[in-house]
Amino acid sequence: MDPDLKQMLDRRAEDMRLAPDLPPVTLRRAHRRRGWSVAFASMTVLAVITGTVALVQTFGTTTTRRIGQSPTPPAPSESTPPPPVATGDYAVPAIWPETNLADIQAEQAAVDAGSDSWRTDPAAVGQRFAHDVAGWDDVAVSVSWIDPSNGLGVVHVVDRATFDTALTGAMTLDLAQVGRKGAGGVWSVEGVGPDAVIGQGIDLSCGTDPFVRGAPATLCGTLSPALAAGTTIRYALFDGDGFDVAAVDPVSFADATDQGTMVIGLHDRFQTEFAGPLDTNASLLLVEVLDSSGGVVAMLTQRIGRQRAPVIHHSLSPTTTGPEPTTAPSTGVSDGAPPAIARALWPVVTPARLDDLGQDVANGKADYALQADTTAKEFAVRMLGWPSDRVTVEGMADGIVYRGVPGVQAIVQNADLGPSTALIVDLEPATAGGRTVWLVVGVQSELFHVLCPPLHQSTLDTSSPLDVCGAVAPTAAVPAIASATVEYIESEMQPSEAQSLAAIKINGVALQGRLQFNAAYANSDVSFVVRLIGSDGTVLAMEARRLHVA
Amino acid sequence: MSEAGRLGELYRRHAGDAARLAYLVTGDRALAEDIVQEAFVRLYGRFRDLRNPDAFDAYLRRTVVNLARTHFRRRKVERRHAPPLSEEPTASEPPDLGERDELWTVLQSLPERQRTAIVLRFYEDLSEVSTAEVMGCPVGTVKSLVSRGLARLRETVPRSE
């Protein structure tokens, strides 16, 4: 077969011939593409300027700024040099309104002197960001989580004009007090995540090495299946010299290294290639979700780079179960990164159990854990009860890179369930018994997505019932019920006495329910799992996360 | 040399290989030609930033594969939203007149990722690691894709003596 195949391919390939010289039309297209980028940038800047004028009219003397644009000095001068870098090679992680520590310190001084009091209010910062950047005029802002001691917070902003059950018109803002922490400190926007984006949001690591200088990189992700048809995604990549403020300060759309639009593809996924970051240290990616009329319904920013700014870290999981061992086993992660085991859902969730897994692997009892795809398949078989002979791993993609730890994403299909029903399993590597094993750190499904609690929420408040809501894909047109459970992470997703369970109603494409807690789960990690169950008891789909209860 | 001149030089040197790869992956000559043109359009302007200019063929190969994948993905979406009466045949285009190559026909009926993996492994002679890099997937996936694709070919086309 192989020689036949090789000969056939060689023979067939010879049938394909091109004119030896570059067609003029191709060269023209290349120039046009470059010209289009400039034109697009100009139009964008014009639109932003127009919006800014309107906002100035709305807010009187308030100065409005764009992402990455530094505040304009009171009396700007063309010869005014950019402010000096205050923190060595890196500026601060803030992206709005200021991008560097000097400007933030100046703003702090202004606030201390009685100006811009809104900067000390996370909700007001979220509201102003929505006005200035997304152009949302009538918004509702809710503060989801504030950690005053570390100066971190999360707020959700909803645009009343466009918000619907698909959760367009909603975004989640990561806030940070880069300078002074606590009361009186100014808040800055550190990152933006649209609630409409599901899975791990924007996944920048589909490519082999998205940070190779000059090499094309791939941007991909998945949108809520409930989003309206005609949605498109626009992206722009900004290069920064390690976020040296001198390089970042002038950033605007006109400076985008690459930009373009994507359409939503099969399984509500999107993917495109874009020019890889020119700088090997850091870049900023801006992604906007646009409705059919071009209005921004969601927005996301992500900093990408080999090194993170040392000023502040926004942990996805600020605390982990119990005290970390003083001599933590090697988990195969890079320096400074929390071990994968601290985010694991399955098959083990604690360092001690990771050692057990290492023993099992050594004894040949858990060979599945040696490969990401087999781990994902085993998860589907054991935790969803899918028949082993009907489960296939349809594809693997590089998953989100969390603090330098490359994860992978497995697309697991149950042949009995048909298309667009895949389970999306996120996995991360860890070291057990001297060998690399794979741990499941997150699970989503193409059939539905849980929108509340939002994906970005890493903690759980068990003092009051938990509202659970979400969207079911139209393709899930099968009789089904949904349930939500919370239980100690140590249960490894198996039912336990301390399990809290609630039925979740499905009404059309909407999931809605409320979970009463049977236990406080204080100072513990828990698994939060929502299952979609068919009329015959089959688990059709699952979404699972690991959360911390303070 | 100007950037345009360099593009022309790179085109003369690499476009033929890229077109053959695109054709084997898509089974469509016109589409293959379009993909190659689009790949060069996309890579234009990035040459001076290439960390390793000698690796241009690798960048081009990967771009071609990704563009082909994008094409197939878009086509699936179009099919999903197309009225039932407009259902298309499975093949990417009607077989060429005089087509008698059963192996080729079966290859074109494979899922796109299996076909891409087989072409990269057996036509481009890439290692499993290099194939994984081009396709942006783990090596284990490449092994699986090639294994399944070959199994399908073997069960459909008897071995020649």
Side-chain angles (χ1 to χ4, degrees), chain A residues 379-515:
Chain A
F379 176 85
V381 171
R382 295 196 191 184
M383 304 312 298
L384 283 84
W386 288 0
S388 178
D389 60 344
R390 305 299 288 162
V391 178
T392 57
V393 177
E394 186 181 87
M396 300 288 294
D398 289 347
I400 195 167
V401 177
Y402 180 61
R403 295 195 184 177
V405 183
V408 299
Q409 200 168 62
I411 313 299
V412 183
Q413 189 73 54
N414 181 341
D416 293 332
L417 297 183
S420 302
T421 59
L423 195 70
I424 302 163
V425 182
D426 284 292
L427 304 108
E428 288 185 11
T431 302
R435 304 182 73 171
T436 298
V437 296
W438 289 87
L439 307 176
V440 175
V441 297
V443 183
Q444 293 99 40
S445 168
E446 293 183 327
L447 275 177
F448 78 107
H449 178 55
V450 176
L451 298 164
C452 62
L455 186 65
H456 303 286
Q457 181 173 320
S458 57
T459 60
L460 201 58
D461 178 6
T462 57
S463 62
S464 58
L466 175 68
D467 285 327
V468 179
C469 68
V472 180
T475 51
V478 293
I481 58 173
S483 71
T485 60
V486 168
E487 53 195 318
Y488 286 107
I489 195 71
E490 288 83 356
S491 73
E492 295 172 355
M493 298 181 64
Q494 299 287 354
S496 66
E497 289 184 359
Q499 183 188 69
S500 300
L501 168 68
I504 307 298
K505 289 181 181 175
I506 302 175
N507 184 11
V509 297
L511 282 173
Q512 190 76 44
R514 176 166 289 189
L515 178 69

Side-chain angles (χ1 to χ4, degrees), chain A residues 43-124:
Chain A
M43 290 168 59
T44 307
V45 169
L46 181 62
V48 170
I49 290 172
T50 304
T52 302
V53 169
L55 284 163
V56 167
Q57 291 171 344
T58 303
F59 289 97
T61 57
T62 301
T63 302
T64 56
R65 303 161 195 147
R66 286 167 284 142
I67 286 179
Q69 185 184 33
S70 284
T72 308
S77 163
E78 289 186 359
S79 60
T80 302
V85 181
T87 54
D89 291 336
Y90 294 96
V92 297
I95 62 169
W96 185 90
E98 303 88 3
T99 60
N100 64 80
L101 189 59
D103 285 341
I104 292 174
Q105 288 172 334
E107 177 67 7
Q108 182 71 64
V111 169
D112 291 343
S115 300
D116 291 348
S117 57
W118 61 274
R119 291 299 303 276
T120 62
D121 179 359

Side-chain angles (χ1 to χ4, degrees), chain A residues 1 4 6 8 10-13 18 20-22 26 29-31 34 207-208 213 265-266 273 396, chain B residues 3 11-12 20 33 37-38 44-45 49 51 62 66 77 99 101 122-123 125 133 138 141 159-160:
Chain A
M1 170 61 70
D4 290 349
K6 172 76 176 162
M8 183 277 289
D10 288 342
R11 191 172 66 248
R12 279 286 171 178
L18 276 184
D21 292 324
L22 179 68
T26 302
R29 281 181 59 208
H31 282 293
R34 183 177 279 178
T208 307
R213 183 181 177 85
L266 189 69
E273 274 203 345
M396 300 288 294
Chain B
E3 231 173 303
Y11 187 91
R12 278 188 289 277
R20 284 185 278 277
E33 191 167 342
Q37 310 302 340
E38 179 63 21
Y44 179 62
D49 302 314
R51 184 173 60 177
R62 183 151 176 238
N66 282 337
V77 173
E99 175 58 63
D101 196 330
F122 291 95
Y123 173 70
D125 285 330
E133 287 176 355
T141 303
R159 176 186 289 271
S160 64

Side-chain angles (χ1 to χ4, degrees), chain A residues 1-6 8-23 25-27 29-31 33-34 206-209 211-218 258 263-276 278 306 371 373 392-398 408 420 475, chain B residues 3-4 7-8 11-12 15-16 19-20 23-24 29 32-34 36-38 40-46 48-51 59 62-63 66 69-70 73-74 76-77 80 96 99-101 103-104 107 113 118-119 122-125 132-134 136-138 140-141 145 148 150 153-154 157 159-160:
Chain A
M1 170 61 70
D2 294 356
D4 290 349
L5 181 60
K6 172 76 176 162
M8 183 277 289
L9 291 171
D10 288 342
R11 191 172 66 248
R12 279 286 171 178
E14 287 306 309
D15 290 345
M16 182 67 206
R17 296 186 184 281
L18 276 184
D21 292 324
L22 179 68
V25 66
T26 302
L27 187 58
R29 281 181 59 208
H31 282 293
R33 178 181 169 89
R34 183 177 279 178
C206 298
T208 307
D209 184 355
F211 307 129
V212 172
R213 183 181 177 85
T218 302
D258 192 11
V263 295
I264 312 304
L266 189 69
H267 297 171
D268 302 298
R269 294 183 186 133
F270 55 86
Q271 179 165 328
T272 191
E273 274 203 345
F274 63 97
L278 301 181
R306 293 189 181 280
Q371 300 285 340
D373 55 348
T392 57
V393 177
E394 186 181 87
M396 300 288 294
D398 289 347
V408 299
S420 302
T475 51
Chain B
E3 231 173 303
L7 181 69
Y11 187 91
R12 278 188 289 277
R20 284 185 278 277
Y23 173 54
L24 294 177
R29 292 190 183 87
E33 191 167 342
D34 286 348
V36 171
Q37 310 302 340
E38 179 63 21
F40 273 85
V41 166
R42 292 193 177 201
L43 291 173
Y44 179 62
R46 301 180 190 171
R48 64 185 166 189
D49 302 314
L50 293 182
R51 184 173 60 177
Y59 295 138
R62 183 151 176 238
T63 304
N66 282 337
R69 179 185 292 184
T70 301
R73 182 179 295 112
R74 189 180 300 129
K76 285 180 182 174
V77 173
R80 188 170 60 160
D96 295 346
E99 175 58 63
R100 294 291 183 271
D101 196 330
L103 191 55
W104 170 254
L107 178 72
R113 279 163 60 79
I118 286 176
V119 169
F122 291 95
Y123 173 70
E124 294 278 328
D125 285 330
E133 287 176 355
V134 171
C137 65
T141 303
L145 290 170
R148 288 185 199 165
L150 288 178
L153 291 175
R154 288 191 182 106
V157 183
R159 176 186 289 271
S160 64

